[in-house]
Amino acid sequence: GMDSSYIASVASSIYNASASDKFTAITAKSTETETDESHFAKRVVDKADLNWKITQPEKQDFLGAVEDVIVAQEEPFGSPSIVMQYFVMKKAKEEGCIVMLDGQGGDEALLGYDRYYAAYLNQQSGVWNKIKGYLEITRNSKLGWLDLFLYVFYFNSSTIRAIRQLKRNSYIKSEFKSFLNRKLLKQIADSGKNITDLQKFEITKVQLQKLLKYEDRNSMRFSIEARVPFLDFNVMELAYSLPFSYKMRDGWSKYILRKSAEHKLPSDIVWRKNKFGFEAPTKTWLSEKQMLLNTIRQSSFLEDFVHMNKVSKNLDDITLWKLYNVAVWAKKFNVAF
């Protein structure tokens, strides 16, 4: 990713100036082609002259570690990518890296998520500027015309978000659906009308805290100190106070960071459009659907909340993962309703 690549490049240039060895970088490589970014990492490694270490957890590694990750996190978590992060910290421990630098916070500080494009269009005054902005985004991001259209409607409407959440979670018993936090969904949608409000809301309320918690729990599991340079208060204050056009311009996200990186990183990294999240090989890891279903259906805790007859292999992978995660968490911590 752009943020971690930038930090690796800057840190390497400082470290290599006085050290006899190379600065170490660790990459979690996905076993699935569509989520494998190692070829991008290789470009950065060659440019920054890094000592490159790779961890590539297979399905059996995942199955063997998942309970330990859930115990380390102490709460259910929504994505197997947290397990991928766990393997990065495990590899760091094996390599003797007791302090790790991480790119966390760059997207929040400099507007790097695709969902910010809805707010980007809200900032444009007049129909022509909105059309121009729409064209710029489809040209300089991975979002196509229809994708962007749906993003705008979804992220600007708390009602649409609530309907989608209820539909995706139709297996939850009706008496618990009233706990859907509609007020929070409205706050998120309303904050999107002003990019500064949205940025503040995500930094302080709904986004960054959970990501930092996941990282802290995973790093501490292996006695690793995880440092996040983008969240140094000086960097964050500067980024937050910058004019909007420095963060998003001509449809490019994190514009000022890209300009700063032009002489530090390969051009295809700097001006890359197909941004990934920190992805795990979810399809492979969660292919043992019957095992997941058995664990879910044996959970007395979930029985109180879920219509078990609606839980089947037809549910999407992430939904099955969430239910499995909760079932394992409840059993490990002896949680009862």
Side-chain angles (χ1 to χ4, degrees), residues 54-71:
I54 299 173
T55 179
Q56 188 174 6
E58 305 283 343
K59 180 172 67 175
Q60 290 307 312
D61 299 315
F62 164 75
L63 294 174
V66 66
E67 288 193 9
D68 191 45
V69 184
I70 291 172
V71 170

Side-chain angles (χ1 to χ4, degrees), residues 188-212:
I188 295 171
D190 289 346
S191 66
K193 296 179 174 63
N194 182 291
I195 199 73
T196 305
D197 291 341
L198 176 60
Q199 195 172 8
K200 181 179 179 181
F201 196 65
E202 293 222 327
I203 291 169
T204 61
K205 299 291 184 183
V206 297
Q207 178 69 15
L208 200 53
Q209 296 92 332
K210 63 182 180 180
L211 297 178
L212 293 175

Side-chain angles (χ1 to χ4, degrees), residues 23-213:
F23 192 76
T24 297
I26 297 175
T27 298
K29 182 178 179 180
S30 173
T31 56
E32 295 173 356
T33 303
E34 60 268 32
T35 53
D36 176 23
E37 293 187 284
S38 61
H39 54 293
F40 289 113
K42 179 67 165 59
R43 299 273 289 123
V44 177
V45 166
D46 292 342
K47 176 75 172 179
D49 195 24
L50 296 162
N51 175 31
W52 194 26
K53 304 294 180 180
I54 299 173
T55 179
Q56 188 174 6
E58 305 283 343
K59 180 172 67 175
Q60 290 307 312
D61 299 315
F62 164 75
L63 294 174
V66 66
E67 288 193 9
D68 191 45
V69 184
I70 291 172
V71 170
Q73 291 296 327
E74 296 189 292
E75 292 179 357
F77 48 93
S79 170
S81 65
I82 308 305
V83 184
M84 199 70 154
Q85 185 187 60
Y86 167 97
F87 282 108
V88 171
M89 299 304 174
K90 184 174 186 289
K91 182 67 172 177
K93 184 70 172 181
E94 292 168 357
E95 296 294 334
C97 298
I98 60 174
V99 180
M100 296 286 289
L101 300 178
D102 187 279
Q104 200 77 262
D107 287 319
E108 289 80 9
L110 295 167
L111 305 182
Y113 293 119
D114 289 338
R115 62 178 177 270
Y116 291 142
Y117 283 122
Y120 175 91
L121 291 175
N122 289 338
Q123 297 292 116
Q124 310 304 314
S125 59
V127 174
W128 168 243
N129 285 331
K130 290 186 185 297
I131 293 173
K132 180 172 177 286
Y134 201 98
L135 293 171
E136 290 170 343
I137 293 167
T138 56
R139 185 170 61 246
N140 294 325
S141 78
K142 68 180 181 184
L143 298 179
W145 287 73
L146 180 59
D147 295 322
L148 182 55
F149 181 79
L150 294 174
Y151 264 58
V152 170
F153 271 87
Y154 180 75
F155 288 108
N156 282 325
S157 172
S158 60
T159 301
I160 292 175
R161 294 181 80 154
I163 291 171
R164 183 170 182 265
Q165 289 297 323
L166 290 171
K167 184 177 180 180
R168 288 185 67 185
N169 298 284
S170 60
Y171 54 84
I172 295 176
K173 292 181 179 179
S174 57
E175 58 264 38
F176 296 104
K177 291 181 179 178
S178 61
F179 288 97
L180 177 67
N181 195 337
R182 294 175 182 271
K183 181 180 178 181
L184 178 63
L185 293 179
K186 188 174 189 310
Q187 285 178 302
I188 295 171
D190 289 346
S191 66
K193 296 179 174 63
N194 182 291
I195 199 73
T196 305
D197 291 341
L198 176 60
Q199 195 172 8
K200 181 179 179 181
F201 196 65
E202 293 222 327
I203 291 169
T204 61
K205 299 291 184 183
V206 297
Q207 178 69 15
L208 200 53
Q209 296 92 332
K210 63 182 180 180
L211 297 178
L212 293 175
K213 189 203 77 169

